[in-house]
Amino acid sequence: MQRNKPAVEIFDDLPSGSANLKSPDLSAGVTSITGENISELFGRRNLAFVATLSEDGSPHVTPVWADMEGDLILINTSEASAKTRHVSKDPRVGISLVDQSNPYNMVTIKGRVVEMTSEGADEHLHRLAKRYLGIGKYYYRKPKDKRVIIKVKPDKVMGLSGHPAFYFLGYLPRDEK
């Protein structure tokens, strides 16, 4: 029996790219991910994994709290972090986010840092702490730690949304002859 491949959509931008989606392959149990789905993923307590490029070109991957504001992805970090140093030299980043309640809902993004700002970074960190920790203040911050918001504009977005039960249906035992 041949297994169906999941429908994967690639957008040039988000969320406006969701208007021109190809028809999803519903036989595979997945649907195309839309800009609205992506905003919902970033609006929940899902960790985002951010990849930056080190000075030697090797990847540096870190789980972070992330947020969306319009079409931009916001990452709050320390001004002294490796992420901040890396994107100051090379603005290219990769971001992968998986829905913690359904790992078959996911998005992967290639993008560029378009701005780094400390303006509003403390308030942004407190909003993220409320979402991710359930409290309105981030208590683990070092006193001299200056916060910065890294704003990423997506260039390419790939994602899928599927019910996990459909994937188990694709793994049927082979007929032995």
Side-chain angles (χ1 to χ4, degrees):
M1 173 174 204
Q2 188 173 5
R3 189 172 21 153
N4 291 324
K5 293 183 181 180
V8 176
E9 297 297 335
I10 300 174
F11 309 114
D12 289 327
D13 54 33
L14 78 114
S16 61
S18 61
N20 298 321
L21 296 178
K22 294 182 249 170
S23 297
D25 179 5
L26 296 177
S27 65
V30 297
T31 59
S32 304
I33 195 163
T34 65
E36 184 179 322
N37 298 137
I38 294 167
S39 293
E40 288 174 11
L41 284 172
F42 276 96
R44 295 189 198 130
R45 294 175 61 176
N46 301 312
L47 290 176
F49 291 82
V50 176
T52 59
L53 295 170
S54 302
E55 280 187 39
D56 65 0
S58 63
H60 175 262
V61 181
T62 312
V64 298
W65 295 345
D67 203 5
M68 281 193 77
E69 186 177 273
D71 288 353
L72 297 177
I73 297 162
L74 308 181
I75 299 161
N76 193 305
T77 190
S78 166
E79 187 177 64
S81 73
K83 287 182 293 301
T84 305
R85 284 192 318 273
H86 296 164
V87 300
S88 293
K89 295 178 180 171
D90 188 334
R92 296 176 296 168
V93 297
I95 301 171
S96 183
L97 190 141
V98 177
D99 189 343
Q100 67 177 353
S101 62
N102 179 358
Y104 298 103
N105 288 335
M106 59 78 60
V107 64
T108 300
I109 298 164
K110 288 183 185 180
R112 291 186 173 275
V113 173
V114 293
E115 182 183 356
M116 286 196 301
T117 182
S118 59
E119 186 176 322
D122 290 329
E123 295 80 15
H124 183 248
L125 178 63
H126 294 313
R127 283 195 312 272
L128 290 172
K130 184 164 182 129
R131 179 189 315 146
Y132 284 90
L133 300 176
I135 57 176
K137 186 169 183 180
Y138 184 66
Y139 291 99
Y140 308 103
R141 180 178 173 182
K142 297 174 187 166
K144 294 182 181 182
D145 184 25
K146 187 173 181 181
R147 304 303 295 187
V148 63
I149 300 172
I150 297 174
K151 297 183 180 184
V152 177
K153 179 165 179 38
D155 293 326
K156 295 285 182 186
V157 178
M158 179 179 68
L160 64 95
S161 179
H163 191 279
F166 287 99
Y167 286 86
F168 294 112
L169 295 175
Y171 294 99
L172 299 175
R174 292 183 181 189
D175 293 333
E176 293 189 25
K177 294 183 181 185

